[in-house]
Amino acid sequence: MPRISFQTKLFLAALSTALLALLVAGGLFAFNLQRQTNTRVEQTLRSEAQLAAELLARAPESSSSSDQALDLEADRIGTLITARVTFIAADGVVLGDSAEPYEAISQMENHLTRPEVIEARESGIGMSRRSSATLGEEMLYVAVPARHPRVAFVRVALPLTSVREQLVGILTTTLTALGLALLGGATVAGILAGRMGQRVRAIAWIAQRYRQGDLTPPRLDYGDDELGIVARALDDSVHELGTRIDDLERDRSRMAAILAGMVEGVIVVDQAGRLQLVNTAAEEMLRIGDAPIGRHYIETIRHPAIADLVTAALDARGPASVEFTPPRDAARTIIARAAAVTGGWARGVVLVLHDVTELKRADRIRRDFVANVSHELRTPLTAIRGYVEALSEGDTSPDETQRFLDIIMRHSRRMERLVQDLLRLARLDAGQETIDIAPCDLRGLVHSVVADLAPALEARQQEVLTTIGDGAGIAQADAAKLHDVLRNLVANASAYGPERSTIGVVTARSGDRITIDVLDQGPGIPEEDRARVFERFYRVDKSRARDPGGTGLGLAIVRHLIELHGGRVSVANRPEGGARFRVELLAAG
Ligand code: ADP
């Protein structure tokens, strides 16, 4: 069925109301008119009957006149009052009739039993409405007694067809007027419905726009009536809702940003255990990429520890946190904490996942470090204590005493160096050492390093050969720190290189970088140890037999200092044997 527009409905409603009103009014009018006409006709006929009786009584010759004269009198009065007049004798015989010729009068039926005659005899006036036996048409009869020697009743009759014709004429006019009124009503209804329809269409169009998400306020005058009030109220509601949606959207994106930016993984599970929210960190930690929201968490997070935790949190009992190793990632440790959410309409569990792998590693490093420091300190301390005890016994020869004192001195220096290196590392870790970048003359720097290490180099009869590459004579660096770096590397080269060997210091420029290589002819560093030699206390050769007396912290300090410059340090073995430590610095600093 085609959709009927509001305008059409309104028009039809107005039109049918008008039609109904006009029909009722018309019906009432017609009914009243007919009644009035009937009453009027009846009254007129009554008056005419009485008039006819009066005329008959006053007719001078009528009392003695013949039958024919009576009939003529009937005809005369009938002409006067323009109605059928009948004279009836007391026995009901018709004596005269204006509608019949004299000859036919004697043939007429006896009228004694006519209802109007009976009524007239009883009550002085009688009226009847029926079809005439003589004329064969619907007639209204009124009979009154006559003051006449022969005529007992005068009866007048009027054919109702003429009354009806009158009525039909009036009704036709009325109906025409009603039709015109209806036409006018329809026009007015059409105009009103048109205007109303236009407004409703405009409001519907705006509602449609709102539904499509366009909430820009329309420049439209809604009018002052109820429709306008409704439209404005809806408009206001929509804009209010729009503002709230905007607020919610802002809150949501803020929350999404917070959740996305969080290092901790966050998982929200509803009361039925269905996933409601999984942030990126949680997806990464549990390697679940694109978590299916709405599904049961067991299907995604297949980890019994978490399942137990969520169940316990939902039942508000049991452990609030658990440490576990995520599936397919045995190297990592995650702590999951669960909290039941009970406030408001939302019930469920919020799981927060902390990746504590780094913390654990740092903790292990710290513990190892403390153990290493203790170990490093214990060796010289034990030696010092042993020799001090030996000396305190007082039975050592002067030569022995001197030797013991030398050993004590060596170990004390080693402890001092260790403490110095530890303090330096602590300062570097705490970011307390700032760098002061300036152009450094590398040749001069190497020269001063060699001068510093001269005693050791001379003792081992080693030679340092410096090669400054093209454009690699100046580096942007903190001179003192770069000095410490080179001093450490050359000292190592000397310590681990054989006696009478050559140590090379080669600088080169490659692109925006300057490389400083320290080359030795020692044993080099096995591949598996290369990544670790920069760790604290890491030693390639764990035996103390060939301990060159280092603290085990030199390379760790070197790496720290170079990283402070934004550079890099690495180690490789030279093809011809020996290690090559390479420092890379930005030429521009
Ligand atoms: P150390 O004080 O023991 O030298 P470092 O941090 O300077 O401590 O060096 C760490 C370890 O790296 C050393 O113990 C050594 O085993 C190895 N190493 C360092 N430099 C060299 C080198 N030039 N040749 C061979 N091994 C080296």
Side-chain angles (χ1 to χ4, degrees):
M1 204 175 88
R3 208 165 60 94
I4 302 171
S5 73
F6 177 78
Q7 182 175 339
T8 315
K9 281 182 195 161
L10 202 65
F11 173 73
L12 288 177
L15 192 67
S16 46
T17 311
L19 194 67
L20 206 66
L22 288 176
L23 276 178
V24 171
L28 277 176
F29 177 73
F31 176 73
N32 267 340
L33 190 73
Q34 192 177 18
R35 223 178 47 186
Q36 271 177 19
T37 313
N38 276 342
T39 320
R40 196 166 36 83
V41 167
E42 282 168 16
Q43 268 172 2
T44 312
L45 211 59
R46 267 195 199 108
S47 312
E48 281 178 349
Q50 271 150 356
L51 184 67
E54 201 58 33
L55 284 174
L56 177 68
R58 293 196 184 188
E61 67 284 1
S62 67
S63 50
S64 57
S65 55
S66 64
D67 287 357
Q68 192 165 10
L70 268 178
D71 185 45
L72 280 173
E73 183 64 19
D75 292 350
R76 189 180 69 87
I77 297 173
T79 318
L80 278 176
I81 61 173
T82 58
R84 178 183 170 197
V85 177
T86 313
F87 297 153
I88 301 159
D91 58 358
V93 173
V94 176
L95 298 174
D97 192 302
S98 64
E100 297 290 324
Y102 173 68
E103 298 77 44
I105 300 249
S106 53
Q107 310 295 317
M108 284 176 72
E109 269 180 37
N110 187 298
H111 276 37
L112 196 67
T113 54
R114 294 287 197 273
E116 66 276 9
V117 176
I118 298 169
E119 204 187 332
R121 187 182 307 124
E122 285 167 4
S123 57
I125 188 159
M127 183 180 290
S128 167
R129 184 189 293 260
R130 68 194 140 74
S131 179
S132 156
T134 323
L135 303 175
E137 58 181 317
E138 178 90 10
M139 303 285 283
L140 179 66
Y141 298 95
V142 175
V144 290
R147 279 176 285 116
H148 192 273
R150 291 185 58 202
V151 181
F153 301 100
V154 173
R155 188 187 75 170
V156 290
L158 201 69
L160 285 175
T161 37
S162 71
V163 173
R164 214 165 276 143
E165 269 160 21
Q166 272 179 40
L167 265 174
V168 167
I170 293 172
L171 272 178
T172 312
T173 319
T174 311
L175 279 179
T176 312
L178 287 183
L180 284 174
L182 193 67
L183 208 66
T187 314
V188 172
I191 292 169
L192 286 181
R195 277 201 201 145
M196 197 61 97
Q198 214 172 13
R199 289 175 63 202
V200 170
R201 269 199 303 282
I203 292 169
W205 173 71
I206 288 163
Q208 188 78 12
R209 243 182 46 185
Y210 287 159
R211 202 174 65 180
Q212 284 160 2
D214 178 5
L215 296 186
T216 43
R219 310 243 167 278
L220 204 75
D221 179 17
Y222 289 127
D224 294 329
D225 56 7
E226 288 86 341
L227 197 63
I229 293 172
V230 169
R232 260 194 300 280
L234 287 179
D235 222 25
D236 292 349
S237 312
V238 165
H239 288 121
E240 175 73 28
L241 273 177
T243 331
R244 289 206 192 149
I245 288 170
D246 282 353
D247 287 351
L248 282 176
E249 191 54 42
R250 248 197 311 280
D251 283 356
R252 215 182 64 83
S253 38
R254 206 176 298 145
M255 196 167 93
I258 292 172
L259 283 170
M262 273 175 80
V263 186
E264 289 85 7
V266 177
I267 295 176
V268 179
V269 168
D270 72 4
Q271 206 172 4
R274 286 184 299 255
L275 286 178
Q276 298 298 303
L277 186 149
V278 179
N279 76 345
T280 325
E283 284 177 356
E284 277 168 12
M285 277 186 208
L286 301 179
R287 305 244 170 118
I288 48 179
D290 250 350
I293 300 298
R295 300 276 290 279
H296 202 279
Y297 72 93
I298 293 279
E299 294 173 30
T300 313
I301 313 165
R302 295 160 198 257
H303 206 287
I306 298 191
D308 291 348
L309 192 67
V310 172
T311 318
L314 279 172
D315 297 348
R317 59 164 176 84
S321 70
V322 68
E323 196 177 294
F324 69 99
T325 302
R328 304 184 289 274
D329 200 356
R332 296 215 290 171
T333 310
I334 289 173
I335 290 184
R337 288 198 177 79
V341 184
T342 47
W345 51 269
R347 286 175 60 84
V349 173
V350 176
L351 269 180
V352 179
L353 309 175
H354 298 265
D355 189 338
V356 290
T357 316
E358 275 307 307
L359 270 180
K360 289 222 149 206
R361 204 174 72 87
D363 191 48
R364 202 185 57 243
I365 289 173
R366 188 188 57 78
R367 272 188 278 120
D368 289 354
F369 183 71
V370 171
N372 278 325
V373 170
S374 317
H375 179 74
E376 293 292 328
L377 283 172
R378 195 179 305 121
T379 317
L381 262 180
T382 314
I384 290 170
R385 198 176 141 198
Y387 287 108
V388 168
E389 271 172 11
L391 283 175
S392 62
E393 281 168 10
D395 55 356
T396 46
S397 66
D399 274 3
E400 262 181 338
T401 306
Q402 190 51 51
R403 199 167 60 84
F404 286 2
L405 284 175
D406 284 349
I407 294 172
I408 290 171
M409 180 58 86
R410 206 175 68 237
H411 282 295
S412 315
R413 289 221 175 98
R414 183 184 177 138
M415 276 173 70
E416 198 185 347
R417 278 203 309 279
L418 182 66
V419 170
Q420 270 173 0
D421 280 358
L422 281 172
L423 284 174
R424 178 139 214 210
L425 268 178
R427 273 205 310 278
L428 285 168
D429 278 343
Q432 286 168 347
E433 284 207 21
T434 49
I435 54 167
D436 186 10
I437 303 265
C440 294
D441 172 32
L442 292 179
R443 190 182 289 281
L445 204 67
V446 178
H447 195 72
S448 76
V449 167
V450 173
D452 266 11
L453 297 172
L457 291 168
E458 273 164 25
R460 294 175 66 76
Q461 296 175 10
Q462 289 163 327
E463 189 190 8
V464 177
L465 279 185
T466 312
T467 316
I468 302 293
D470 271 356
I474 307 277
Q476 292 288 338
D478 183 317
K481 292 191 172 63
L482 194 53
H483 180 277
D484 292 349
V485 166
L486 293 178
R487 191 179 188 280
N488 255 305
L489 294 178
V490 175
N492 276 352
S494 161
Y496 298 102
E499 290 187 355
R500 283 186 288 280
S501 62
T502 307
I503 297 165
V505 178
V506 181
T507 73
R509 172 96 187 214
S510 76
D512 58 346
R513 288 177 179 265
I514 291 214
T515 58
I516 308 169
D517 289 352
V518 177
L519 316 156
D520 65 42
Q521 292 171 333
I525 295 175
E527 179 154 12
E528 65 271 20
D529 296 308
R530 278 180 214 154
R532 300 200 61 191
V533 289
F534 295 98
E535 286 177 15
R536 291 158 200 206
F537 298 118
Y538 190 82
R539 288 190 175 87
V540 174
D541 187 352
K542 272 70 177 181
S543 79
R544 293 260 154 197
R546 275 173 287 131
D547 180 9
T551 60
L553 296 172
L555 288 181
I557 293 175
V558 165
R559 185 171 66 175
H560 239 306
L561 291 173
I562 293 303
E563 283 176 357
L564 211 57
H565 280 81
R568 229 159 53 89
V569 59
S570 57
V571 63
N573 279 351
R574 306 167 66 200
E576 58 270 45
R580 185 206 69 193
F581 280 86
R582 169 167 290 181
V583 169
E584 285 177 63
L585 290 172
L586 279 176

